[in-house]
Structures are given as C-alpha cells and as structure tokens.
Amino acid sequence: MAYTEETARNLVTESARKLLRTGLVARTWGNLSARISATQFVITPSGMGYEHMRPEDLVTVNIEDCSYDGPRKPSSEKGIHAAVYSMRPEVNFVIHTHQEAASVYGITGRDLTHIDSERLGTEVPCAQYGMPSTKKLKNAVVDVLQGYPQTKAVLMRYHGALCMGTDEEDAFLAARELERVCREQIGLLGNKNREQLPPARDYGRSIRKDRRFCLQLNGEKKVYRLNRLPDDLPEEAAFHAEIYRHTDAKYILWDSSNAVRRVSRSGEDFSPYLEDLIQIAGTTIRCADGHDPAGAAKKLAGRNAVLIRGEGAFCTGRTRDDVGAVAALLEKGCRAALFAENFPECRPLGRLDGLIQRTVYVNKYSRKKER
C-alpha cells in the first residue's frame, strides 16, 4: 500500500540518514524514493546532502512521464524509480546506492549467482552499463526487471545497486543483505595481492589559508608560509607545499589504506572502474615517485588524487567534505581494481564516458556544492 505523502517524506529523509550512518551511501551518490499513490512518488532532490535534507525538500514526481512541480529538481535517476513503480505495483520504496561491496562486484557485469538468501533468493541480476541519467541505463535496469520479476535488488555495472521493497524496512534490509552477500562473494574470490605490506609512511594532512598551510604529521602541527619555506623543509611538508603551489586545493589528506597502497605498488597510472571515483578524482589517477614533490603536484593537474609509488596517495579538495569523499572513493575504487584481477576480461570504464562524467561533475555538481 502506498504511503501518505507526509509519511513518505519523513521516511525517505530518515532512511537517507540511516544509509549514511551505515556507510551504504556517501555524500549524495545515490537516491531514495517512496510511492505516495498509484501515479506519484516522492524522491530525494538532486545534489543535496542527506545530512541537511528536510522532508519538504523532497520532490513529487509523476510515474507516467517523470514530470514534477516545485523549485527543486528531483534526482536525475528519477526515470529508474518511475520504471520500478510502474512495473512492480507491490513496491513502495526504492533505494539506489553506491554501496561498496555491491559496486565492486558489479564491475564484472556478471549476475550474482549461487547465493542462498531468504530475502534476495538465489540470484541477483546485473544491469549492463549505461551512463548515469540516460535512457540506456534506465533501459538496462528495465531489461533485468523484466527478466527477474521477483528480484529485490539489481547490480548496476560500474555504478552501484538498486534495492526495492514493499516498504522502507524491506528495501533497507535488501540493501544490507546485498552488501553482505557481495562482501562474502568477494572474500571467496579474494585477489592476487594478499602478501603482508611493510609499515606505511605517513605524509600527514594539511589545511591551507591564503599563503600559509598547517601540516599535521606524527601528532604534531606546524605552520609553513608558501613564500618563505625553510631550507631544511621536511620532504613530507615539501609535497604539501608543491601541491598547494600547483593546484587550487585547500585541504590535503594522505591515504595509506591497504587497497590504495597495493594499487600504488605497480608504479603505474590507475584507470578507475567506478563512476563515482572518476567524477570526484579524475579519469586516471597518476602515479608519482615518493621523492619528487614537484612531479607529484604536476600529476595532480585536472585531478584530485595522485598515487605515490608503494606508499599510498595524496587526496585533495576545496572543502573538508570533498577531501574525505575523495579518500573514501579512492579506497573503494582501488578495491575494485584489485578484485578485477580475478577477471581478465574485466576492463575499466571507457575513457570517453569517464571524461564526460568528470567534466559534468566539475562544472556543475561540485560548484553547486560550494555555493
């Protein structure tokens, strides 16, 4: 049964925050909706952080043609939600996430088979790739919904997952169960890089204000002036200084997580498999030497992350939220790259599609976030 509009708005808002708390979404990558009648649903607006979202911010959308009223734009994936409600009259709540394990497994384009889940059944289909917000992506999801009329979850190649249920709890539990099953499958396959890594080097984190930056390293904070650096400047500080000189970054965060370090060990540039990493960090993540601060800074041109061979990566951003998101998505993207080693036929997302998505993100979405 459809929700009343007031109940639907409250549930979607509460569920969005619950997804943040459980780590199933990051920032606004993903969207949620709830049916309010046979002809309409409410959905999260485009580009608004879930932590700030209020019930009145949601947008009412017509199922038949995706038309809507009001000053806010609905999520760009409203067409997929509308298709679900049109095809599945028993569904009253839909969640689209970029949850980690499901996103990583989905890069293969393979259905999730031979599982034993009371909630998900024995198989979860994978919709083939389509760029976000396009008819191609919507049609790919429609195809698998037609082929699997009882499924409560769909993997979306290079993108994320779609979960649905008779109510909010049913959809949320489907998302949690999908993550558990995908994590289990990834663990069974493993990857080729399981050897123990040596202790990680710490390059610290920093914040820039005007011509100064404050570096936090090994539990200590020190302020440096970019136009008056000391002759005995530590190498770690030199990396931060060069990055600030060559980019518009205001925050720098060092990431030495295992997945990032393992990918960096090749010394090669890294082509992402996941759309969200491309959007926020770049179409390629370049790799630099650990003793070449200027070279690393130059390789950040047009990007928000650079690998340091065998050590990890510098992540940059204009806000604290930005740099945290870059690091989180880089770790997920590196786990996807390691998992892809089990599938020789698996390739990163196409460069042209990636370039389009990065351009759109930088010129529209990220600027909207700063306002």
Side-chain angles (χ1 to χ4, degrees), residues 50 79 92 97-98 126 136 156 208 228 278 289 301 333 346:
Y50 295 144
N92 294 302
T97 71
H98 288 204
C126 183
K136 182 178 179 181
M156 303 164 75
R208 174 181 180 173
R228 197 182 301 170
I278 288 175
D289 184 77
C346 191

Side-chain angles (χ1 to χ4, degrees), residues 104-292:
V104 169
Y105 190 92
I107 66 171
T108 66
R110 299 184 177 194
D111 296 344
L112 186 62
T113 59
H114 305 298
I115 61 175
D116 184 14
S117 168
E118 184 176 344
R119 186 168 297 276
L120 299 178
T122 60
E123 188 170 7
V124 174
C126 183
Q128 291 308 300
Y129 173 70
M131 283 186 64
S133 313
T134 63
K135 288 184 178 179
K136 182 178 179 181
L137 177 58
K138 175 187 171 182
N139 291 339
V141 173
V142 168
D143 285 345
V144 295
L145 290 176
Q146 290 174 336
Y148 298 82
Q150 303 301 318
T151 190
K152 288 189 175 182
V154 174
L155 298 172
M156 303 164 75
R157 191 173 194 188
Y158 300 129
H159 191 101
L162 187 72
C163 298
M164 60 209 81
T166 55
D167 56 23
E168 185 272 344
E169 181 181 18
D170 193 27
F172 183 81
L173 289 176
R176 290 289 296 270
E177 177 69 356
L178 178 64
E179 193 68 357
R180 183 193 69 78
V181 170
C182 287
R183 190 177 294 115
E184 184 178 87
Q185 291 296 312
I186 291 169
L188 289 173
L189 284 168
N191 61 63
K192 300 177 181 178
N193 293 290
R194 289 188 176 275
E195 67 271 23
Q196 188 69 31
L197 294 177
R201 179 180 177 182
D202 185 12
Y203 285 82
R205 63 174 66 195
S206 66
I207 303 172
R208 174 181 180 173
K209 186 174 182 180
D210 299 324
R211 299 297 296 171
R212 294 180 173 87
F213 70 92
C214 178
L215 174 64
Q216 182 174 335
L217 178 66
N218 299 324
E220 298 182 358
K221 292 183 179 180
K222 189 168 183 179
V223 176
Y224 295 93
R225 294 175 63 100
L226 287 170
N227 59 349
R228 197 182 301 170
L229 294 170
D231 293 336
D232 60 347
L233 183 69
E235 188 173 63
E236 294 87 351
F239 273 94
H240 290 255
E242 289 296 328
I243 290 172
Y244 285 130
R245 282 173 167 170
H246 286 85
T247 73
D248 63 355
K250 293 184 178 180
Y251 292 81
I252 299 172
L253 177 65
W254 174 248
D255 186 339
S256 59
S257 62
N258 281 341
V260 175
R261 291 181 68 200
R262 292 184 192 282
V263 169
S264 74
R265 294 176 75 190
S266 72
E268 299 176 354
D269 296 348
F270 161 50
S271 296
Y273 289 78
L274 293 171
E275 293 172 327
D276 48 16
L277 176 57
I278 288 175
Q279 291 168 12
I280 199 169
T283 56
T284 57
I285 312 299
R286 293 175 174 170
C287 192
D289 184 77
H291 301 288
D292 184 11

Side-chain angles (χ1 to χ4, degrees), residues 31-33 41 43 77-85 94-96:
N31 32 76
L32 304 87
S33 70
F41 60 95
I43 191 169
E77 302 296 3
K78 60 187 178 296
I80 291 177
H81 291 251
V84 173
Y85 291 125
V94 177
I95 300 173
H96 165 44

